[in-house]
């Protein structure tokens, strides 16, 4: 039985058109920075942007008759997957044209920025043009909210198509029953916190350009910086605390943010995911403090950076690589867990860990309970369907399989097993922390695999698997 036919492909192409236009428009924004700093790279931004816009317009016009066709979830997942890949290619082409790096490196850097992974292949970012530094930060800011969500907020009309695309980007929480209102409120919250971050950084003495870029990178839990030493460059505890605050804001559900004022802060205090995240930060910080001689600020900053999957740092990867193995293991566990559902974070996410743990506890109670007793799972006083724990378990299994696959390849190429595992987890979880210099030294085939890890990590695996399954079916006889 064929699950993808010609009509499906044409529906996908037609509905990808608007997203391609949006991606092209996104690539035009850094031209303003290029002109402001007289860097004369505008053409290198313009050509890829126009290519994306032109192809998008062609798809929209040539396939107009398919606009009435119903978009199903499988279409939405394929559209979402291909849109992220297309954005990676177009944005990577710009990096290739402006900075001269090879196309695989450019695609890796671009996917890393878009997915909020924050891993850079540039050994010296401070020599890059201002327009490129802004472009990398802007990609993280757009990708943090979600390429699909951002473009839908600004360009797409509400309807069943928008609903399926929203689901396809690993989002199902809604602030309001209306998707249009949800998108508007989500973008509004994102803009408010972005403005807050820029303002706080400027008050703390950070230059305005750095403030904008670092806020973009931090609120999106991306972590790339405009400085080689990342946030550590500024050597200011006030800036460190501001960054910690912004990272936690970025890792907290948008629904909780929306309800903060309405509930006078109770939504934050009562949110299970937020409470677990803060508890893990406190426990991990204290545990590392009492078992190592690391500076307390370094501990707190790194712990928050790991669990929020931001990847920002105040110590170099070389120094972090010299920390005790037990400390690095704690950081790796936090990198696996991640922050809240409905936020900008990557990794497995707290809700899956919580529901999976509740499923295990339910099984234990059923074994110990009298025969035929039904044990129910509850969260925040509400019953949880049994399939939720099973779905969490399935995703966690897939997540670890992706890590195992890439880790094995890194080891096959002769890289240190421990560094390789840390780096693989960082790519798969869209985190960006490193304990070595693998991002600058790994071979091109491994970078291509890394692109796949970051892509699947951001889209939560299933949309990419559906897309690959569809392509395999196309080429079947």
């Amino acid at each position: 039985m064929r699950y993808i036919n010609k009509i499906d492909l044409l529906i996908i192409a037609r509905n990808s058109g608007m997203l391609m236009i949006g991606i092209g428009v996104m690539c035009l924004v850094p031209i303003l920075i290029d002109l402001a700093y007289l860097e004369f790279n505008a053409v290198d931004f313009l050509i890829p942007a126009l290519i994306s816009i032109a192809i998008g317009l062609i798809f929209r016009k040539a396939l107009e008759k398919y606009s009435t066709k119903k978009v199903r979830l499988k279409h939405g997942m394929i559209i979402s997957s291909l849109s992220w890949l297309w954005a990676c290619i177009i944005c990577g082409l710009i990096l290739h044209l402006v900075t001269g790096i090879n196309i695989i490196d450019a695609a890796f850097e671009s996917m890393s920025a878009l997915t909020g992974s924050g891993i850079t292949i540039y050994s010296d970012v401070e020599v890059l043009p201002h327009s490129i530094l802004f472009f990398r930060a802007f990609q993280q800011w757009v990708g943090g909210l979600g390429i699909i969500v951002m473009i839908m907020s600004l360009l797409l009309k509400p309807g069943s198509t928008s609903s399926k695309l929203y689901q396809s980007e690993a989002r199902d929480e809604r602030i309001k029953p209306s998707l249009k209102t949800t998108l508007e409120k989500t973008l509004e919250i994102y803009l408010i916190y972005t403005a807050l971050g820029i303002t706080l950084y400027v008050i703390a003495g950070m230059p305005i350009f750095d403030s904008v870029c670092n806020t973009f990178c931090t609120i999106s839990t991306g972590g790339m910086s405009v400085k080689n030493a990342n946030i550590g460059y500024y050597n200011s505890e006030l800036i460190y605390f501001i960054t910690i605050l912004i990272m936690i804001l970025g890792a907290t559900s948008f629904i909780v943010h929306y309800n903060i004022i309405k509930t006078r802060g109770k939504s934050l205090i009562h949110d299970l995911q937020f409470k677990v995240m803060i508890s893990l930060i406190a426990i991990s910080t204290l545990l590392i403090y009492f078992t190592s001689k690391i500076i307390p600020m370094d501990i707190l900053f790194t712990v928050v950076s790991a669990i929020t999957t931001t990847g920002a740092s105040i110590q170099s990867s070389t120094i972090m690589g010299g920390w005790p193995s037990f400390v690095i293991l704690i950081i790796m566990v936090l990198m696996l867990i991640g922050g809240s559902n409905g936020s900008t974070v990557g990794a497995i996410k707290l809700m899956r860990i919580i529901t999976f743990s509740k499923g295990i506890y339910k099984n234990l109670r059923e074994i110990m309970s009298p025969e035929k007793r039904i044990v129910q799972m509850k969260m925040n006083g509400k019953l949880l369907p049994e399939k939720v724990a099973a779905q969490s378990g399935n995703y966690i299994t897939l997540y670890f399989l992706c890590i195992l696959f890439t880790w094995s390849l890194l080891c096959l190429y002769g890289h240190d097993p421990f560094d390789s595992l840390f780096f693989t987890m960082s790519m798969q979880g869209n985190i960006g922390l490193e304990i070595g210099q693998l991002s600058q030294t790994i071979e091109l085939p491994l970078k291509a695999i890394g692109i796949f890890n970051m892509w699947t990590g951001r889209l939560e695996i299933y949309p990419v698997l559906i897309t690959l399954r569809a392509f395999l079916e196309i080429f079947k006889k």
Side-chain angles (χ1 to χ4, degrees), residues 49-329:
L50 291 179
I51 289 172
S52 188
I53 292 170
I55 295 175
L57 286 170
I58 290 170
F59 280 0
R60 296 287 291 181
K61 295 295 182 183
L63 302 173
E64 181 64 30
K65 66 179 181 179
Y66 295 97
S67 61
T68 57
K69 298 287 185 181
K70 184 179 178 181
V71 174
R72 296 172 58 190
L73 183 57
K74 67 177 181 181
H75 298 141
M77 286 188 167
I78 296 171
I79 291 166
S80 179
S81 298
L82 294 178
S83 295
W84 280 83
L85 199 56
W86 179 255
C88 163
I89 293 167
I90 292 296
C91 296
L93 183 57
I94 291 172
L95 296 178
H96 169 68
L97 292 173
V98 177
T99 66
I101 57 176
N102 69 67
I103 198 66
I104 297 294
D105 280 352
F108 184 95
E109 185 80 11
S110 179
M111 184 63 84
S112 178
L114 288 164
T115 59
S117 301
I119 301 168
T120 182
I121 55 88
Y122 292 110
S123 57
D124 185 1
V125 300
E126 293 176 31
V127 301
L128 297 174
H130 288 83
S131 56
I132 289 297
L133 291 174
F134 176 83
F135 186 47
R136 290 160 78 241
F138 187 60
Q139 286 181 80
Q140 289 171 86
W141 188 74
V142 172
L145 191 60
I147 294 173
I148 309 296
V149 171
M150 186 69 77
I151 293 173
M152 282 197 305
S153 302
L154 301 173
L155 299 177
L156 284 181
K157 296 178 181 179
S160 62
T161 300
S162 298
S163 179
K164 292 296 185 292
L165 289 175
Y166 186 73
Q167 292 178 53
S168 72
E169 209 172 49
R171 294 183 184 274
D172 50 17
E173 304 89 353
R174 294 197 183 189
I175 292 173
K176 293 281 189 178
S178 163
L179 178 58
K180 183 177 185 295
T181 309
T182 293
L183 293 171
E184 289 173 353
K185 293 299 180 184
T186 300
L187 183 57
E188 183 182 322
I189 292 166
Y190 202 51
L191 288 169
I192 289 170
Y193 284 139
T194 300
L196 174 66
I198 294 170
T199 304
L200 290 176
Y201 275 142
V202 170
I203 292 172
M206 188 182 288
I208 184 66
F209 179 81
D210 293 17
S211 298
V212 172
C213 291
N214 284 325
T215 301
F216 281 3
C217 298
T218 309
I219 194 64
S220 64
T221 60
M224 279 183 179
S225 178
V226 294
K227 301 298 181 184
N228 293 328
N230 208 277
I231 301 298
Y233 169 87
Y234 303 100
N235 195 29
S236 164
E237 293 213 347
L238 178 56
I239 288 177
Y240 299 162
F241 277 118
I242 291 170
T243 306
I244 288 170
L245 171 64
I246 299 171
M247 287 191 289
I248 291 173
L249 288 174
T252 304
S253 169
F254 281 104
I255 295 176
V256 173
H257 289 309
Y258 177 73
N259 290 323
I260 283 176
I261 297 175
K262 192 166 63 173
T263 62
R264 297 180 181 179
K266 290 181 181 178
S267 67
L268 192 64
I269 297 169
H270 294 155
D271 182 61
L272 179 59
Q273 292 185 91
F274 183 78
K275 288 191 288 188
V276 172
M277 178 170 66
I278 296 301
S279 298
L280 286 171
I281 289 171
I283 293 167
S284 300
T285 301
L286 291 173
L287 195 56
I288 294 174
Y289 176 75
F290 287 115
T291 57
S292 71
K293 297 179 180 180
I294 303 169
I295 299 169
M297 176 53 77
D298 289 359
I299 298 170
L300 177 61
F301 193 96
T302 306
V303 163
V304 173
S305 182
I307 197 167
T308 61
T309 71
T310 307
S313 61
I314 55 178
Q315 285 294 355
S316 70
S317 57
T318 306
I319 290 175
M320 286 179 60
W323 288 354
S325 299
F326 178 69
V327 172
I328 295 174
L329 184 62

Side-chain angles (χ1 to χ4, degrees), residues 387-401:
K387 68 176 183 180
V388 173
Q391 288 170 349
S392 296
N394 291 341
Y395 180 79
I396 291 169
T397 301
L398 277 174
Y399 192 89
F400 277 106
L401 286 173

